[in-house]
Amino acid sequence: MKKRGRGVAWMFYPIGFTAYANPSAAFVKVNQDGSAVVWTGATDVGQGSTTALAQIAADALGIPVELVTMVTSDTLQTPMDIGSVASRVTYIAGNAIVRACEMAKQILFEVASEELGIGPEGLESRNGWIFVRDFPERRVRLAEIARKAEVVKGRPVIGAGSYNPPTTFLDPETGHGKPYNTYVYAAQVAEVEVDTETGEVKVLRIAAVHDCGRAINPLLVEGQIEGGVAMGLGYALSEEMVLQEGRVLNTKLADYLVPTSLDVPPIDVEIVEVPDPTGPFGAKGIGEPSLLPTAPAIVNAIYDAVGVRIRELPATPERILMALREKEKEQPGRSVRDREDGRPEK
Amino acid sequence: MTFHLRFWLNGQEVRTEVEPDETLLWVLRERLNMTGTKVGCEAGDCGACTVLLDGRPVTSCLLLAPKAHGRHVVTIEGLGSPAKLHPLQQAFITYGALQCGFCGPGMLLSAAALLTQNPHPTEREVREAIAGNLCRCTGYQKIVQAILAVSRGEVP
């Protein structure tokens, strides 16, 4: 008999290393044509950080993103970033880039203030223009100012910035401290169908609702969440590294089972944007958090469907059948298989 | 003993000498410098090395090169060009269907073969067609959406 159930799980997750320093640094150069080059050590392994960081640089300088060239992950050329780990790149490398851009923008604004007749603090830049905040029609092309700064004033428009989240170690006596500077939050709901004859679990649908601060690039954020859910689904149901005397026995993708397109159900993603005042334009992170609630939500859904608690992952058909048999032994004659309404005994 | 292999690669006739136990994957990459075809598990499980053989997707890591003799092979280099992307390639970009991109060449070729055979597949048929192409990054959702968009003629 096939029985359906739903389960929910929540999580919070910190951005960055636990108390240890994990800095990032960036250089920026604004060219005479109003384009810019950003150097960052942050490494894009496919999550899209180079795109998001280019967007951050563009908004921080006030130029179109098409005019930003990124130079990344080259230990000879780029300043250091500690790595694409701890869901930290958008937050920490992003903050470093904002600071580098602020330094370059200060040079632009000081030069522009002569033309616009107001101090640099009264200026803003957007879409390739520098303008007076209170009188936006009083404006000058950013490229013109960049050229003037470099050629006439002898002040190349460059900037450098770094960021390291302010943290403290936990006090060994009290356990108190501030090991992270910010956190993200999420909830996921899984709907599953459990076959009580075979122990097989089919995930029918997953809803994933995530806070990531400001979503710099919502399409990329969705991609991170969908991929994380698929990874969490594998963790919940099929992926198990089998060790024997220190050797991995299942070293092939034929026996270490990564979810396929037929295993991953439709995923309803919702991004809850709560801008964080400490993040670049309010952004935090989304990499790892996306997969954390998936397995507990699925295991809770299994419990809702057939009334057994699976406490060892993955929840393979064998483990589910064993748990169902244990339950029958404890409650003879009240087998979940006999119930008509599909609701488990609890 | 070498084998004089002759086949059509992306529409052009190719002649090369191969060892009889060489796979098509390594002939493409090492002898013909066509590195768009990826080396994954080399056991036929991941689908990263997928190419089209007479229009059908095959795992080139399991195909002995002499089996391609006289036949038509399409690799990712033959699907589109940077100047003129195949509609599937454009849709994959628009829908954010690639992250690290390693599954991309095989995924795109499996999708292209599907749409040639079945221009208006259901979502289930799309998922079945790419079930042999593992993706660790995307959760498949945006890949499925991109393929369905092309099938509906909605390529931007």
Side-chain angles (χ1 to χ4, degrees), chain A residues 274-331:
Chain A
V274 185
D276 184 315
T278 70
F281 299 99
K284 296 192 284 189
I286 194 61
E288 296 152 297
S290 57
L291 81 90
L292 298 184
T294 312
I298 289 172
V299 173
N300 283 339
I302 293 170
Y303 178 72
D304 186 44
V306 293
V308 296
R309 280 275 168 216
I310 303 298
R311 301 197 186 274
E312 189 181 357
L313 294 179
T316 56
E318 291 86 345
R319 286 185 180 134
I320 288 172
L321 282 184
M322 270 159 52
L324 285 171
R325 281 189 198 138
E326 281 300 308
K327 187 174 146 68
E328 273 182 50
K329 268 190 232 160
E330 282 164 22
Q331 298 174 311

Side-chain angles (χ1 to χ4, degrees), chain A residues 29-317:
Chain A
K29 172 168 79 92
V30 179
N31 298 310
Q32 291 182 31
D33 63 357
S35 67
V37 186
V38 175
W39 287 262
T40 169
T43 302
D44 195 331
V45 291
Q47 78 274 34
S49 60
T50 300
T51 305
L53 294 175
Q55 290 179 264
I56 287 170
D59 275 11
L61 289 170
I63 62 174
V65 70
E66 295 79 13
L67 297 184
V68 178
T69 297
M70 300 294 291
V71 181
T72 66
S73 336
D74 180 339
T75 51
L76 184 67
Q77 293 190 65
T78 55
M80 82 90 62
D81 178 84
I82 222 154
S84 283
V85 292
S87 304
R88 57 177 285 290
V89 171
T90 305
Y91 184 70
I92 296 175
N95 270 334
I97 286 171
V98 168
R99 289 178 176 192
C101 292
E102 291 297 331
M103 186 190 282
K105 203 160 67 173
Q106 181 62 25
I107 297 169
L108 288 169
F109 284 7
E110 283 173 18
V111 173
S113 71
E114 288 178 21
E115 315 237 337
L116 295 168
I118 187 169
E121 64 284 349
L123 297 178
E124 269 185 37
S125 59
R126 199 171 305 146
N127 206 24
W129 293 90
I130 297 172
F131 57 92
V132 179
R133 185 178 303 115
D134 297 331
F135 302 98
E137 63 278 16
R138 273 171 62 194
R139 63 181 193 169
V140 59
R141 282 205 178 275
L142 189 144
E144 196 181 304
I145 296 301
R147 192 179 307 117
K148 183 179 173 188
E150 198 161 294
V151 176
V152 179
K153 298 287 178 181
R155 298 185 68 190
V157 186
I158 57 176
S162 68
Y163 184 75
N164 183 40
T167 56
T168 64
F169 284 89
L170 296 177
D171 185 298
E173 295 286 328
T174 64
H176 292 179
K178 190 194 176 194
Y180 310 103
N181 201 40
T182 192
Y183 299 81
V184 295
Y185 307 87
Q188 292 185 8
V189 182
E191 184 172 7
V192 304
E193 188 175 77
V194 184
D195 187 322
T196 55
E197 301 300 323
T198 65
E200 273 178 294
V201 176
K202 186 168 174 50
V203 181
L204 303 172
R205 196 163 202 88
I206 288 193
V209 183
H210 285 256
D211 150 55
C212 63
R214 169 100 60 209
I216 299 291
N217 187 315
L219 184 72
L220 294 176
V221 171
E222 284 173 18
Q224 288 289 284
I225 295 171
E226 291 166 10
V229 165
M231 210 177 272
L233 185 146
Y235 174 49
L237 295 178
S238 62
E239 294 183 39
E240 181 170 31
M241 197 154 69
V242 183
L243 286 162
Q244 191 182 57
E245 293 174 6
R247 283 191 325 150
V248 180
L249 295 185
N250 54 338
T251 57
K252 296 261 183 242
L253 289 165
D255 44 24
Y256 181 91
L257 300 176
V258 169
T260 72
S261 52
L262 294 172
D263 301 316
V264 181
I267 304 162
D268 299 319
V269 174
E270 191 166 328
I271 303 168
V272 178
E273 289 190 86
V274 185
D276 184 315
T278 70
F281 299 99
K284 296 192 284 189
I286 194 61
E288 296 152 297
S290 57
L291 81 90
L292 298 184
T294 312
I298 289 172
V299 173
N300 283 339
I302 293 170
Y303 178 72
D304 186 44
V306 293
V308 296
R309 280 275 168 216
I310 303 298
R311 301 197 186 274
E312 189 181 357
L313 294 179
T316 56

